[in-house]
Amino acid sequence: MAVESLVERIMSRQCGAQCRAGDYVVARVDRVYITDASAPSVLDRMEQLGGGRPAHPDRIALVMDHYVPAPSPGVAEVHRRMRDFSRRTGCHLSTEGGGICHQVLGEQGFIRPGELVVGADSHTVTYGAYGTLALGVGSTDAAVAAVTGRLWFRVPDSARLRLRDALQAGCSGRDVALKLNGSMGPSGADYLCVELWTGEADIEPDHLSAVANASAEWGAKAAVSVREEDAASFEGATYAAEWDVDLASVEPFIALPHSPHRTVPVREVRGRPVQLCFVGTCAGGTLGDLRGAANVLRDAKVAPDTRLLVAPASRGIYARALREGLIDVLHAAGAVILPAGCGPCCGTANGVPAAGETVISTACRNYRGRMGNAEAEIYLASAETVAAAAASGCIEDPREVWYG
Amino acid sequence: MNARHIEGRARLLPDAVNTDYIISSRRKRQIPEMSRLAGYIFEDLPQPLDEPVSPGDILVAGEDFACGSAMEAAVDVLIASGVRAVIARSAARTFHRNAINGGLPLLIAHRDVADEGDILQICYAADGEIYNATRHERVRTVPVPDLAVRLAAAGGLIKYCRREGMPPPGLLP
């Protein structure tokens, strides 16, 4: 009998029956989370299901991250509804300033390795870096999973992404992600569970997290890190696709407007003036990203006619960045520090660019209108590259600024 | 069994229409009512549509339809706009799930099926088929999962669960 893939193993456990890729199953879901962007539609659907009080409230989390602090009376009402629901049912609540769902719930011990998790946001896949089978779903899925503890799934085929060696100084997991965005396109891993193999790589968890995060851009169902001690047990498993990335050969990459898949090496677009720089989000707001930005901006200033916004991905990261002096460095350079959360990523909080402005951001997506203004052009890059652009006022290879 | 027959007017969309182009997150935050939000669909498309989407339309999209966000509003807002079905060369799995759960028929056909304004008749069933009445041409679609046909017949997953309950863990037939 064929060797089970990681996703088949987890799905078989969760549905209590041997299942294979292509099967449709109903599986037990360990954890469900929703955000303020999805809460109204999820809570409405939970009510329609008669689930005013879910059976396992400790397995459900509500996170305020997309719209924080509340920028309008309507959002304040959504946040109040989330607080009330949590108080009434005992569901886990992460309030404004706590951070992005894909980061803070791991820090709070709500998300654990090996579990099956659904989150009502496409970047839920980010938790795959920690070995969680974490799937991005819509409001109906989240509501059904929250109320019944179960959900239907199609067991996906698997692919293997093998990382080797180590990143160069000045490069980050975000560069790997952007490079892969370009080669994968929006469906390069369509409906696949991408196993992340790192046994031959030296890569920090924050960098691996950026790679898992980007799998949402390749159409993957999930990206899950394979633990070294489990690797041997997958010997002989079949993969629909295999990719190898030599981390040492990855250089700084950038996505051109208006698609996260239009990526080129940064050196090809050096010199383009930028007005708004942003470091943050589930793709680029980790402690590793803040360290990268602070390394570039130490003893530097944000260039005239350029502004820099920084939003740590969580309160915990904010605290560690304070203790390490990173916030001091960024603040002294002229950055505006925003509360932990999604920040201006999708145009639903402060930090909207003006018409005709060029933005460089560590966010996950740059579709036209993404940051709340369809007349702005958004480039995506690593925290190091964004910081280098902030320091020089134009797109620059961070290795040049850092060592220059 | 459970097949649904749908007729409508083909409305062509380009490749890679992501969910932000279906409806922007900013509008979604500002306007909670789907009926009003429907007024802003496809607003940020780099090439605007010549004519707005109207009730009875069938969207005929290219590759990678609805890539990007998993927000179910992308399905809800199309339903609220009166879109009867979506045909695409390929579509993001997140949107595919949301369409199945919301009862919005989504068919995958790996070829050109219509010109703008063609009248289409769809049989949404396991062996899905599109009849282009303007071209007098039949096109087979990628098989529609049985689960999707059943959920569409029930009016979506929420209604299905209210009536039948969520099945226990295990393999689905």
Side-chain angles (χ1 to χ4, degrees):
Chain A
M1 188 152 184
V3 176
E4 271 186 321
S5 66
L6 176 57
V7 67
E8 287 170 335
R9 196 173 293 181
I10 295 176
M11 282 294 186
S12 294
R13 185 191 70 211
Q14 297 300 116
C15 75
Q18 177 69 53
C19 59
R20 289 292 181 186
D23 286 343
Y24 283 80
V25 302
V26 170
R28 277 184 296 274
V29 174
D30 293 311
R31 307 277 165 170
V32 183
Y33 65 88
I34 69 176
T35 73
D36 44 3
S38 49
S41 65
V42 176
L43 295 179
D44 285 351
R45 284 164 165 87
M46 286 176 72
E47 282 170 16
Q48 288 164 21
L49 287 167
R53 190 178 288 275
H56 300 288
D58 54 317
R59 296 183 190 170
I60 301 165
L62 296 86
V63 182
M64 300 176 192
D65 56 6
H66 281 64
Y67 312 155
V68 296
S72 70
V75 171
E77 203 51 48
V78 170
H79 286 171
R80 173 151 65 191
R81 188 177 175 192
M82 293 170 78
R83 286 181 221 280
D84 287 349
F85 187 84
S86 164
R87 198 179 300 116
R88 190 160 52 78
T89 61
C91 291
H92 183 82
L93 179 72
S94 177
T95 54
E96 61 267 76
I100 304 169
C101 55
H102 312 309
Q103 177 73 38
V104 69
L105 294 176
E107 294 174 5
Q108 293 171 347
F110 179 83
I111 303 286
R112 289 181 285 209
E115 290 189 337
L116 170 59
V117 172
V118 298
D121 188 283
S122 59
H123 291 105
T124 301
V125 292
T126 312
Y127 280 125
Y130 299 93
T132 306
L133 179 59
L135 315 176
V137 298
S139 302
T140 299
D141 278 327
V144 169
V147 171
T148 70
R150 306 186 294 281
L151 195 57
W152 70 269
F153 297 98
R154 178 181 172 277
V155 181
D157 284 305
S158 293
R160 173 152 66 178
L161 175 61
R162 210 194 285 265
L163 305 178
R164 295 178 205 277
D165 213 339
L167 289 162
Q168 306 172 32
C171 294
S172 90
R174 193 68 193 126
D175 294 309
V176 180
L178 287 163
K179 185 179 173 157
L180 285 167
N181 280 1
S183 57
M184 295 278 196
S187 50
D190 185 36
Y191 228 113
L192 296 174
C193 176
V194 180
E195 293 180 5
L196 303 171
W197 287 62
T198 56
E200 294 164 59
D202 178 11
I203 183 167
E204 294 288 322
D206 283 352
H207 293 305
L208 190 61
S209 156
V211 177
N213 174 277
S215 71
E217 268 42 79
W218 319 331
K221 186 177 183 107
V224 188
S225 178
V226 174
R227 292 187 308 176
E228 232 171 312
E229 59 266 39
D230 294 338
S233 69
F234 296 113
E235 202 62 53
T238 53
Y239 295 101
E242 298 207 46
W243 305 283
D244 267 41
V245 176
D246 171 21
L247 296 173
S249 73
V250 173
E251 62 178 311
F253 260 73
I254 190 163
L256 312 177
H258 301 283
S259 164
H261 306 104
R262 285 185 70 207
T263 66
V264 298
V266 169
R267 60 185 154 78
E268 292 183 17
V269 286
R270 282 177 66 182
R272 163 142 200 143
V274 296
Q275 289 77 48
L276 175 59
C277 308
F278 171 46
V279 173
T281 82
C282 56
T286 64
L287 189 65
D289 296 311
L290 299 188
R291 282 177 185 152
N295 274 337
V296 173
L297 284 164
R298 206 172 296 277
D299 305 319
K301 289 274 178 223
V302 173
D305 304 320
T306 303
R307 54 201 191 276
L308 170 63
L309 307 177
V310 177
S314 73
R315 197 176 185 86
I317 290 170
Y318 202 151
R320 277 173 288 170
L322 279 166
R323 282 200 296 274
E324 288 187 20
L326 308 176
I327 298 294
D328 239 6
V329 170
L330 296 168
H331 185 263
V336 176
I337 313 296
L338 302 175
C342 303
C345 176
C346 53
T348 55
N350 293 331
V352 176
E357 284 193 327
T358 300
V359 181
I360 185 166
S361 154
T362 60
C364 47
R365 297 189 182 126
N366 60 341
Y367 296 120
R368 190 166 175 270
R370 174 79 184 176
M371 294 177 73
N373 191 335
E375 305 312 316
E377 297 214 307
I378 308 166
Y379 290 77
L380 305 177
S382 71
E384 287 83 349
T385 304
V386 171
S392 39
C394 60
I395 294 171
E396 191 51 87
D397 188 321
R399 296 170 303 179
E400 303 286 326
V401 178
W402 197 352
Y403 298 115
Chain B
M1 188 183 98
N2 285 335
R4 191 199 282 189
H5 298 274
I6 303 149
E7 183 168 318
R9 197 168 62 115
R11 300 301 311 281
L12 264 53
L13 292 170
D15 287 339
V17 172
N18 64 80
T19 48
D20 286 23
Y21 291 168
I22 296 175
I23 191 68
S24 87
S25 297
R26 164 181 48 107
R27 296 286 189 197
K28 179 172 82 95
R29 194 205 84 198
Q30 290 163 343
I31 307 168
E33 306 84 20
M34 281 298 148
S35 54
R36 276 211 300 137
L37 193 60
Y40 297 95
I41 60 169
F42 301 126
E43 175 188 24
D44 288 338
L45 265 184
Q47 298 288 322
L49 299 182
D50 291 337
E51 191 194 325
V53 168
S54 54
D57 285 352
I58 292 175
L59 302 182
V60 180
E63 302 283 354
D64 304 315
F65 182 67
C67 57
S69 164
M71 61 173 161
E72 196 153 330
V75 166
D76 295 342
V77 80
L78 293 182
I79 293 172
S81 305
V83 168
R84 288 188 182 155
V86 177
I87 301 167
R89 284 180 186 245
S90 63
R93 62 156 286 275
T94 38
F95 183 85
H96 209 143
R97 275 195 80 94
N98 290 337
I100 290 171
N101 287 338
L104 173 68
L106 167 64
L107 297 106
I108 305 297
H110 296 305
R111 50 160 291 188
D112 156 57
V113 296
D115 292 304
E116 178 78 7
D118 284 359
I119 298 302
L120 302 178
Q121 294 163 355
I122 293 173
C123 173
Y124 186 65
D127 48 350
E129 192 179 75
I130 300 160
Y131 177 66
N132 183 325
T134 308
R135 288 187 188 171
H136 305 289
E137 186 180 79
R138 258 173 229 288
V139 176
R140 280 235 174 269
T141 69
V142 170
V144 176
D146 181 57
L147 178 77
V149 178
R150 275 190 287 149
L151 290 183
L157 182 60
I158 298 285
K159 285 186 181 151
Y160 178 89
C161 285
R162 285 180 55 149
R163 201 159 34 197
E164 314 268 340
M166 190 67 186
L171 288 156
L172 285 171

